[in-house]
Amino acid sequence: MTKTGGCAGPKGFDVEKVRADFPIFQRTIWDKPLVYLDSGASAQKPKAVIDAMTRVMEHSFANVHRGLHTLANEATEAFEGARGDVARLLGAKSDEEIVFTRGSTEAINIVANGLSDDIGAGDEIVVSQMEHHSNIVPWHFLRERNGAVLKWAPVADDGSLDMEAYAKLLGPKTKLVAMTHMSNVLGTITDAAEIVRLAHEAGALCLLDGSQSVVHLPKTDVQALDADFYVFTGHKLYGPTGAGALYAKKKHLKRMRPFQGGGEMIESVSEDAVTFADPPQKFEAGTPSIIDAIGLGAAIRYVETIDRQAAMDHETRLMRKAQDGLKKWNDVRILGDAPGKGAIVAFDVKGAHAHDLAQIMDRFGVAVRAGSHCAEPLMRRFDCQSSLRASFAMYNTEKDVDTFLEAFEKARDILG
Amino acid sequence: MNAAQAIDDLVDEFSFLDAWEDRYRHVIDIGRGLDGVRDEERNEANRVQGCVSRVWLVTDILDGDPVRLSFRGDSDAHIVKGLVGVIARLFSDRTPEDILAVDAREVFNRLGLSEHLSQQRSNGLNSLIARVRADAEAAHGKP
């Protein structure tokens, strides 16, 4: 067996070096080395993130904004610095376009709530069949409350978005298009720029769900995409849980109704009136997740030290190797093999339940996901009860793929 | 055979299985021997919530004095079906008093199946045990 790693990119991408940054790989699962292939659900954390969070708690912690003492200023600087990191990650025009959220889910809910005055009975929201529930359920709220109509852009057999059918769904009633930039099941990377262009042509706004894409794509550029809204979560990007962001063009943030009321988000409060602070604070009621946001900033600065094109090439190569290995089995069906897909492979096996396979594979130290991956409409589209998903990150190795395939074979054997 | 004997039998069977693979295989085998569920019984009432896979548990009340309960079930996942099978072997053809006297979690630990208890959120084992106990309590005291 060849030694893993050593894939030299321009900055010398070396998987063993990356791996060494993640303390969790020192542990074993059932006495076996950990093979973590569930990064699509949540990624492991590098030392840089853990240290940044510890440092602020040990050294620079206080509530942010408005404080007049040293610690408040240091914490505010670190917190607002993290906002700058997010803005840079997304290619936003200014930090003021970045609202800290708990994750993508909260970000999408802020938009759904914020647009609820603009989307009324009969108005149409276009989503795709491959959306995560977080980019479906908030729009169902507008359907239930306001009588908005959900339109579903279909997914082709190969897992790609049917762009022709999508274009046909757009019309004068379309108010919003909400679509993923990368499917959490199929791995499909959508033509986000074209999705936005067509939405705008129809006079609609466009939200992109970047939960998976910011992790895998070498670069995100919300200005080039011309997205009205772009959301992502930090914990899939090697950051802590509890911190993600909503990017929105400033004009939208100015108009939109705030989601929650409380401290930090007001300009003034009296007995019979309230005026709101300017965005982004308008959308950040209460004490924010200061430590998590600082951790997210550290995660972004960490990935910036990596040659991200080389990392994506590495991850995609692992996904291909896993997919090729799985294709040797006649009873395995790969869900989605769209051209240019990213480092996720979901599959089901005739006669074997994904739940059984995942549970047995765990005994070999292999962490994979089983179920509907919070994408029930997509599962129905492929007539799939439940599937297994292996999702790759930059710390995975060729050896991980070998172990995954071996564990899969043994699990099948045990299940008879 | 009462519940205590059924537990001893199961513990005996599993005690020969040192390797986890063999315990898994044996759980799956027990599931294969489980009395099944008719199509019309695959309804919401018999569906056990709290499982990632689909699981059904049917309770049959056997007339007599005292009444006895019996359990059948099914799942589309083999391991969960096996766990239903273990439950059925533990609790079928028993009086409500007999059923309520058994600490099922302790039995699963003794069988070397404790990892399934810690996965209760996904495999619904806890819901299965709770269902068995609720049905036993409901039948308790009936002539």
Side-chain angles (χ1 to χ4, degrees):
Chain A
M1 198 177 293
T2 53
K3 196 176 178 305
T4 54
C7 349
K11 283 189 203 166
F13 181 79
D14 177 349
V15 67
E16 292 303 335
K17 186 167 169 290
V18 168
R19 241 176 128 69
D21 294 332
F22 291 78
I24 203 156
F25 292 114
Q26 287 159 22
R27 76 160 286 182
T28 53
I29 305 290
W30 298 110
D31 297 325
K32 306 269 193 331
L34 166 62
V35 175
Y36 190 73
L37 300 178
D38 198 18
S39 300
S42 202
Q44 298 300 339
K45 317 307 174 198
K47 194 82 172 34
V49 168
I50 299 163
D51 287 348
M53 295 172 75
T54 306
R55 202 180 315 121
V56 69
M57 284 187 280
E58 287 184 347
H59 190 72
S60 300
F61 185 75
N63 209 334
V64 292
H65 305 138
R66 293 161 207 248
L68 293 170
H69 52 79
T70 303
L71 287 182
N73 287 334
E74 285 182 12
T76 303
E77 236 165 74
F79 178 72
E80 290 302 327
R83 196 189 302 278
D85 294 328
V86 173
R88 199 170 61 249
L89 174 80
L90 300 181
K93 211 178 280 174
S94 84
D95 295 5
E96 290 160 10
E97 295 175 316
I98 305 299
V99 176
F100 275 124
T101 65
R102 272 194 299 139
S104 301
T105 300
E106 189 179 52
I108 297 171
N109 276 279
I110 287 173
V111 177
N113 182 76
L115 297 178
S116 64
D117 294 340
D118 304 335
I119 300 178
D123 286 342
E124 293 173 359
I125 299 167
V126 177
V127 296
S128 85
Q129 274 180 329
M130 65 171 107
E131 297 313 310
H132 188 282
H133 291 162
S134 62
N135 198 23
I136 296 174
V137 181
W139 312 119
H140 270 306
F141 287 179
L142 291 187
R143 180 187 59 74
E144 287 184 347
R145 259 190 276 153
N146 296 4
V149 177
L150 299 194
K151 295 276 185 181
W152 296 83
V155 170
D157 287 342
D158 73 347
S160 57
L161 184 66
D162 184 338
M163 289 297 280
E164 236 171 84
Y166 160 60
K168 283 188 189 141
L169 291 176
L170 298 166
K173 288 185 177 169
T174 313
K175 283 281 153 68
L176 179 79
V177 172
M179 288 214 194
T180 186
H181 197 172
M182 176 176 168
S183 163
N184 69 312
V185 179
L186 308 168
T188 305
I189 295 166
T190 57
D191 187 350
E194 183 65 3
I195 289 168
V196 176
R197 195 186 67 75
L198 288 167
H200 286 171
E201 210 171 77
L205 299 178
C206 189
L207 175 145
L208 294 172
D209 176 359
S211 302
Q212 300 290 340
S213 51
V214 295
V215 181
H216 297 286
L217 295 181
K219 189 173 159 54
T220 307
D221 187 341
V222 290
Q223 289 187 69
L225 291 169
D226 199 22
D228 295 286
F229 308 99
Y230 198 97
V231 306
F232 80 100
T233 189
H235 69 90
K236 296 187 204 289
L237 187 66
Y238 313 104
T241 51
L246 162 67
Y247 157 85
K249 287 179 181 167
K250 207 167 174 187
K251 60 180 178 184
H252 301 317
L253 288 179
K254 279 197 161 156
R255 278 195 65 241
M256 277 182 356
R257 171 191 287 281
F259 185 44
Q260 291 182 315
E264 300 245 9
M265 56 82 71
I266 47 89
E267 185 185 63
S268 71
V269 179
S270 68
E271 284 79 352
D272 50 13
V274 54
T275 55
F276 304 125
D278 285 335
Q281 275 73 34
K282 177 174 145 188
F283 297 96
E284 294 179 0
T287 296
S289 273
I290 301 164
I291 299 156
D292 296 331
I294 290 168
L296 171 56
I300 292 168
R301 276 176 275 121
Y302 173 76
V303 297
E304 284 171 346
T305 66
I306 311 266
D307 179 337
R308 299 206 64 197
Q309 182 61 56
M312 185 183 182
D313 293 346
H314 168 74
E315 292 161 1
T316 308
R317 197 164 44 241
L318 298 183
M319 179 273 292
R320 288 271 155 225
K321 181 180 161 114
Q323 210 162 272
D324 289 347
L326 290 167
K327 278 178 181 167
K328 286 178 192 146
W329 301 90
N330 290 328
D331 52 1
V332 167
R333 174 177 63 155
I334 310 278
L335 300 175
D337 199 2
K341 77 174 272 192
I344 290 174
V345 54
F347 60 101
D348 63 2
V349 186
K350 207 177 278 177
H353 199 282
H355 194 208
D356 288 328
L357 290 164
Q359 201 175 339
I360 298 174
M361 288 168 78
D362 176 64
R363 296 297 307 228
F364 295 96
V366 177
V368 288
R369 199 142 198 92
S372 63
H373 318 297
C374 292
E376 287 180 13
L378 183 67
M379 290 289 114
R380 266 196 297 283
R381 155 69 182 84
F382 283 98
D383 195 20
C384 177
Q385 260 308 321
S386 89
S387 73
L388 274 177
R389 181 185 71 179
S391 48
F392 299 87
M394 57 187 177
Y395 41 60
N396 289 122
T397 63
E398 305 256 343
K399 178 92 187 339
D400 285 350
V401 179
D402 293 335
T403 309
F404 161 76
L405 291 170
E406 281 161 25
F408 175 64
E409 183 165 0
K410 285 177 184 155
R412 299 173 55 110
D413 177 52
I414 289 169
L415 286 170
Chain B
M1 182 170 62
N2 61 25
Q5 287 165 317
I7 293 168
D8 287 345
D9 279 3
L10 273 168
V11 170
D12 247 18
E13 279 174 38
F14 276 90
S15 69
F16 292 107
L17 308 171
D18 290 331
W20 67 267
E21 293 99 315
D22 296 331
R23 287 201 300 278
Y24 267 76
R25 283 199 179 94
H26 193 55
V27 166
I28 292 166
D29 274 346
I30 289 173
R32 292 202 171 104
L34 174 67
D35 284 337
V37 172
R38 293 188 294 276
D39 280 347
E40 68 270 21
E41 290 172 325
R42 291 172 198 271
N43 53 35
E44 278 310 302
N46 290 326
R47 178 99 181 250
V48 181
Q49 299 300 326
C51 314
V52 173
S53 51
R54 293 182 297 175
V55 185
W56 292 272
L57 184 71
V58 179
T59 308
D60 297 313
I61 298 187
L62 313 175
D63 286 335
D65 186 17
V67 293
R68 300 170 92 80
L69 270 53
S70 211
F71 299 92
R72 298 175 284 130
D74 199 7
S75 170
D76 46 8
H78 293 314
I79 296 168
V80 176
K81 188 174 176 182
L83 296 174
V84 178
V86 173
I87 295 261
R89 274 191 50 189
L90 273 176
F91 295 115
S92 281
D93 200 18
R94 316 243 176 278
T95 65
E97 289 85 346
D98 222 5
I99 290 169
L100 292 169
V102 174
D103 179 349
R105 295 178 61 85
E106 191 259 342
V107 175
F108 275 88
N109 276 322
R110 280 175 64 193
L111 296 176
L113 302 175
S114 55
E115 70 202 70
H116 301 286
L117 291 168
S118 66
Q119 290 163 348
Q120 54 184 267
R121 243 202 92 188
S122 51
N123 67 22
L125 185 53
N126 211 37
S127 309
L128 278 168
I129 294 168
R131 168 78 71 89
V132 168
R133 292 188 67 87
D135 287 351
E137 272 165 19
H140 192 54
K142 280 185 187 166

